[in-house]
C-alpha cells in the first residue's frame, strides 16, 4: 500500500527558446506507489522528469523531498537524493561491456584498481534480478533494444533509489518482456520505492499504476486513480474523445509493388517470400528476435543477404544498395530513430527533406522552395509540435521525433513504405493521425509493410498479417478474422533446424 509523500513538485515552470514546456506542474509522489504520468507528445512529461533528475533547472516552482526543499542541479545530486531515472533515450555507453555500464562512475576497487571480478559478479546478480540472460562481458552495442532497457533498469536497481523514474520503459518491450518488467516494478513498489511511470499504452495504466497525473500543454490538469475509465483518461489528456482507435479502411488492390522471394541470410532469416500489393497494408508480427527488422533492412538494402531477390515495382533491386532502393520508390522507417532515422542537430525542415534532397541531388536539381513547402505541409498533416521548421530535431519530444522520421518518406512520396514499429512512443491521438495517413497512402495506390509488436495495432491496421518466428515466415492470417491468440500461437512456433544462435 502506498504511504507518505516522499516527493512533491509545485508550480514547476520551464521555458525553452520559443516554447513554454512546463507552465505550472504539480506532482505528489508517495512511497510504495506507481504514479503514471500521462500526456500527449510534447505535453511536458520528459521535461518534468528531467527537472526531478537534475538534468534541467526549473525557471519557476519548487521541489520538496520529505518536506524539505531540494535543488538537484545534476544527475549526481539527484542520485544522492535517492532519485534514479531511466530516460526515454538510453544512457548507455555502447563500447563498454554490460558490467562496465552497470558500474559506470563507481566501479568496485581493490588496491586502487578496478576489481573486475567483483564488478562482473555484481553485474551478474543485477542481471539475474531483472531476468536478463546475458554475459556481463558482452559489449552493450551487441544487445538488442529490449535488453538495453532491462540493463537500464538494472542500473537503477544498483543505486538503491527511493524514487525511480521511468520514461516510457515499455515502448520498446514485447508482451512477455513487459510482464517481466511489471514483476520487477511491483516488487520495488512493495519495497516502498516511489515509481514514476510514463507510458502511451493506456491498458498498462490500470495494470501497473496506482495514481495518474495528466499533463496537457505543460500543465497538470488532473490527478486521478489509475482505474479511471479509459475514455475519461483520453478526454483529460487529449481534450476530445477518440471514437475509433484503429480506423483501417481497406483500399482497392492493385499490382504487387513489392515482391520478396527466397530471401536468406545465414543465421538471421531463411527463405522469406511474400508480396505487398498496391493499396495493401501487410503487417508483420513476431517476437523480438524473430528476424523481422533484419528482413526489413535487407529488403531496403541496408544490410546484405546471401540469396533470394527483392523486386520493387517490377524492378529487381541490387542487394545492399539503399540508393537503388530509394530510387525504385522504397522507404524504411527504422525502429531505432536515434541511430538511423534522423540528423538530430539539423532542423525539422531539413530532416523532412533529407530523402528527397538526396534523390534530387543525384538528378542534379533541387527546388528548395518546393521542398520547404512540402515539408511544411507534412509537418502540419502529422501535427508535429514545433516552434517552426528550423527547430532542431534534438529538441523535439520523443513522439514528435518519430513523426519526423515518418514524415521524410511522405515528403519523398515513397511508393512502398516499410514501417518498423511506427507508433512506438506516439500518443493515442497522434497514433490515429498516423493510421489515417496509412489509409491515405493506400488509397493513393501505395503499399505499406508494417512491422509491429503491438498486437492490437497489427490486427487493427493490417489487411493481412505475416507471422515470423526464428527467422522464418511461419504463417499468414487475415487481419479481420485473426485474434491476438492466433498471432501469438504462430509467433512461438518452434522451427525445425532453424538458425543456430
Ligand atoms: N532542449 C529543448 N529545447 C527546446 N525545446 C524543448 C527542449 N526539450 C523539450 N522541448 C520542448 O518542450 C516541449 C515538451 O517536451 P517533452 O519532451 O517534455 O514532451 P513529452 O511529454 O515527454 O512528449 P513525448 O510523449 O513525445 O515524449 C515540447 O514542445 C518540446 O519540443
Ligand atoms: Mg517524452
Amino acid at each position: 500500500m502506498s504511504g507518505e509523500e516522499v516527493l512533491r513538485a509545485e508550480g514547476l515552470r520551464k521555458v525553452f527558446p520559443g516554447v513554454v514546456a512546463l507552465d505550472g506542474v504539480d506532482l505528489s509522489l508517495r512511497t510504495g506507489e506507481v504514479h503514471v504520468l500521462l500526456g500527449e507528445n510534447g505535453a511536458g512529461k520528459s521535461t518534468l522528469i528531467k527537472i526531478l533528475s537534475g538534468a534541467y533547472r526549473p525557471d519557476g516552482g519548487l521541489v520538496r523531498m520529505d518536506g524539505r526543499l531540494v535543488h538537484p542541479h545534476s544527475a549526481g545530486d539527484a542520485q544522492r537524493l535517492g532519485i534514479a531515472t531511466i530516460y526515454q533515450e538510453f544512457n548507455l555507453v555502447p563500447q563498454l561491456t554490460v558490467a562496465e555500464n552497470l558500474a559506470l562512475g563507481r566501479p568496485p576497487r581493490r588496491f586502487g584498481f578496478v576489481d573486475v571480478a567483483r564488478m562482473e559478479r555484481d553485474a551478474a546478480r543485477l542481471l539475474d534480478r531483472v531476468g536478463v540472460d546475458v554475459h556481463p562481458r558482452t559489449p552493450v552495442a551487441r544487445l538488442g533494444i529490449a535488453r538495453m532497457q532491462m540493463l537500464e533498469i538494472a542500473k537503477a536497481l544498483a543505486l538503491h533509489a527511493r524514487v525511480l523514474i521511468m520514461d516510457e520503459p515499455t515502448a520498446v518491450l514485447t508482451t512477455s518482456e513487459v510482464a517481466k518488467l511489471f514483476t520487477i516494478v511491483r516488487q520495488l513498489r512493495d519495497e516502498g520505492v516511489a515509481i514514476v511511470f510514463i507510458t502511451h499504452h493506456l491498458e498498462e495504466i490500470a495494470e501497473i499504476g496506482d495514481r495518474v497525473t495528466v499533463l496537457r500543454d505543460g500543465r497538470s490538469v488532473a490527478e486521478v486513480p489509475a482505474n479511471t475509465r479509459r475514455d475519461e483518461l483520453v478526454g483529460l489528456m487529449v481534450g476530445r474523445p477518440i471514437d475509433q482507435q484503429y480506423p483501417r479502411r481497406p483500399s482497392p488492390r492493385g499490382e504487387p509493388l513489392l515482391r520478396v522471394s527466397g530471401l536468406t541470410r545465414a543465421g538471421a532469416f531463411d527463405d522469406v517470400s511474400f508480396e505487398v500489393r498496391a493499396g495493401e497494408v501487410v503487417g508483420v508480427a513476431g517476437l523480438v528476435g524473430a528476424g523481422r527488422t533484419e528482413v526489413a533492412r535487407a529488403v531496403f538494402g541496408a544490410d546484405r543477404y546471401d540469396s533470394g531477390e527483392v523486386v520493387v515495382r517490377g524492378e529487381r533491386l541490387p542487394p545492399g544498395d539503399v540508393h537503388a532502393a530509394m530510387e525504385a520508390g522504397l522507404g524504411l522507417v527504422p525502429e531505432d530513430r536515434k541511430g538511423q532515422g534522423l540528423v538530430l542537430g539539423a532542423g525539422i525542415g531539413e530532416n523532412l527533406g533529407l530523402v528527397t534532397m538526396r534523390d534530387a541531388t543525384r538528378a542534379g536539381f533541387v527546388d528548395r522552395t518546393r521542398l520547404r513547402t512540402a515539408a511544411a505541409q507534412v509537418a502540419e498533416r502529422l501535427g508535429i509540435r514545433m516552434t517552426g521548421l528550423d527547430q532542431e530535431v534534438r529538441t523535439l519530444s520523443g513522439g514528435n521525433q518519430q513523426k519526423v522520421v515518418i514524415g521524410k518518406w511522405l515528403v519523398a512520396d515513397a511508393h512502398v513504405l516499410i514501417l518498423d514499429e511506427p507508433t512506438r512512443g506516439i500518443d493515442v491521438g497522434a497514433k490515429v493521425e498516423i493510421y489515417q495517413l496509412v489509409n491515405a497512402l493506400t488509397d493513393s495506390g501505395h503499399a505499406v509493410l508494417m512491422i509491429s509488436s503491438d498486437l492490437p495495432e497489427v490486427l487493427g491496421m493490417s489487411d493481412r498479417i505475416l507471422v515470423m518466428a526464428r527467422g522464418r515466415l511461419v504463417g499468414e492470417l487475415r487481419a479481420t478474422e485473426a485474434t491476438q491468440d492466433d498471432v501469438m500461437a504462430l509467433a512461438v512456433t518452434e522451427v525445425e533446424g532453424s538458425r543456430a544462435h
Side-chain angles (χ1 to χ4, degrees):
M1 269 312 345
S2 58
E4 68 278 14
E5 190 172 74
V6 53
L7 184 147
R8 180 177 191 82
E10 284 170 35
L12 286 181
R13 193 176 153 77
K14 179 73 191 171
V15 182
F16 293 111
V19 203
V20 181
L22 300 184
D23 186 20
V25 167
D26 303 330
L27 177 70
S28 152
L29 193 59
R30 297 188 194 138
T31 58
E33 79 163 330
V34 176
H35 198 116
V36 178
L37 278 186
L38 187 64
E40 288 183 285
N41 297 131
K45 304 177 297 294
S46 296
T47 305
L48 166 59
I49 64 157
K50 281 179 186 161
I51 289 175
L52 300 180
S53 64
Y56 290 158
R57 289 188 195 199
D59 296 312
L62 34 95
V63 180
R64 289 178 209 278
M65 269 190 91
D66 306 314
R68 288 203 332 269
L69 277 180
V70 293
H71 305 279
H73 284 336
S74 67
D77 281 356
Q79 279 174 17
R80 274 184 291 279
L81 290 167
I83 303 174
T85 307
I86 301 172
Y87 292 105
Q88 200 166 2
E89 311 293 359
F90 303 146
N91 245 334
L92 300 166
V93 186
Q95 297 81 9
L96 299 184
T97 66
V98 166
E100 286 163 342
N101 268 279
L102 284 171
L104 215 59
R106 19 152 225 101
R109 289 184 185 272
R110 206 172 131 86
F111 310 125
F113 295 99
V114 173
D115 184 345
V116 176
R118 199 176 127 206
M119 185 172 81
E120 290 179 356
R121 270 200 314 277
D122 290 350
R125 201 171 323 118
L126 285 167
L127 291 168
D128 190 49
R129 212 167 144 206
V130 294
V132 173
D133 183 19
V134 50
H135 195 280
R137 252 174 257 164
T138 314
V140 161
R142 276 213 244 129
L143 302 181
I145 215 160
R147 283 171 152 186
M148 288 193 193
Q149 172 72 64
M150 295 312 244
L151 190 55
E152 282 282 11
I153 294 164
K155 240 170 79 187
L157 289 179
L159 295 171
H160 303 289
R162 293 176 64 207
V163 172
L164 175 59
I165 302 173
M166 306 173 124
D167 197 350
E168 296 190 40
T170 59
V172 295
L173 303 182
T174 55
T175 318
S176 65
E177 289 160 345
V178 170
K180 224 191 261 175
L181 172 72
F182 282 1
T183 310
I184 299 165
V185 168
R186 287 193 188 103
Q187 201 179 316
L188 291 170
R189 179 199 61 196
D190 293 345
E191 290 167 12
V193 177
I195 295 157
V196 176
F197 195 94
I198 300 179
T199 183
H200 286 295
H201 298 282
L202 299 184
E203 71 283 358
E204 289 172 3
I205 294 174
E207 194 184 342
I208 194 69
D210 297 298
R211 292 192 294 170
V212 183
T213 289
V214 184
L215 297 189
R216 195 194 316 159
D217 294 334
R219 299 205 179 129
S220 39
V221 293
E223 192 204 78
V224 293
N227 60 9
T228 303
R229 280 200 358 241
R230 188 189 161 112
D231 50 347
E232 224 173 289
L233 288 173
V234 171
L236 286 169
M237 166 183 171
V238 187
R240 63 184 154 83
I242 289 179
D243 32 80
Q244 214 189 351
Q245 181 69 62
Y246 301 106
R248 177 69 190 143
R249 185 183 64 228
S251 310
R253 296 291 150 76
E255 295 290 297
L257 294 187
L258 170 66
R259 268 206 341 258
V260 172
S261 23
L263 211 66
T264 301
R265 185 172 75 225
F269 46 86
D270 191 16
D271 196 19
V272 172
S273 305
F274 62 89
E275 58 175 39
V276 188
R277 290 176 171 272
E280 214 180 12
V281 178
V282 174
V284 188
L287 304 179
V288 160
R292 296 174 298 165
T293 295
E294 286 82 353
V295 167
R297 290 178 50 84
V299 167
F300 184 59
D303 290 329
R304 56 175 194 86
Y305 46 89
D306 301 329
S307 55
E309 65 172 22
V310 177
V311 176
V312 174
R313 298 159 80 209
E315 184 191 327
R316 181 173 176 182
L317 298 186
D321 187 342
V322 170
H323 289 287
M326 294 196 307
E327 230 151 77
L330 194 60
L332 170 69
V333 172
E335 63 172 343
D336 165 19
R337 64 173 170 262
K338 205 178 180 183
Q340 298 158 22
L342 294 171
V343 181
L344 291 173
I348 295 161
E350 220 173 308
N351 271 278
L352 285 171
L354 272 181
V355 180
T356 318
M357 273 295 272
R358 205 175 287 149
D359 260 17
T361 319
R362 284 160 66 90
F365 176 72
V366 199
D367 184 341
R368 285 176 186 274
T369 319
R370 267 224 346 245
L371 191 54
R372 186 103 179 152
T373 313
Q377 280 167 353
V378 165
E380 157 96 42
R381 205 162 149 201
L382 287 170
I384 295 173
R385 190 177 295 221
M386 58 178 190
T387 52
L389 285 178
D390 292 322
Q391 186 180 346
E392 279 187 23
V393 164
R394 175 196 321 282
T395 66
L396 282 180
S397 77
N400 283 293
Q401 289 185 1
Q402 177 70 356
K403 292 186 201 170
V404 175
V405 181
I406 297 176
K408 61 183 193 171
W409 294 107
L410 298 179
V411 171
D413 195 29
H415 292 261
V416 182
L417 199 53
I418 306 177
L419 305 172
D420 194 352
E421 307 287 359
T423 63
R424 190 176 266 177
I426 301 265
D427 73 57
V428 274
K431 268 186 193 176
V432 178
E433 286 156 24
I434 287 175
Y435 299 149
Q436 306 279 20
L437 261 164
V438 166
N439 282 340
L441 283 172
T442 56
D443 274 349
S444 58
H446 292 28
V448 175
L449 183 71
M450 183 179 73
I451 299 172
S452 173
S453 298
D454 181 336
L455 286 177
E457 171 175 279
V458 185
L459 288 164
M461 281 307 295
S462 318
D463 302 321
R464 280 188 296 136
I465 301 171
L466 306 174
V467 186
M468 279 191 75
R470 296 175 178 266
R472 292 197 188 173
L473 271 185
V474 291
E476 180 178 326
L477 300 164
R478 280 163 63 127
T480 43
E481 291 158 10
T483 64
Q484 296 200 19
D485 289 341
D486 298 338
V487 177
M488 283 318 287
L490 282 170
V492 299
T493 311
E494 287 293 328
V495 181
E496 287 289 314
S498 72
R499 66 183 157 147
H501 248 189

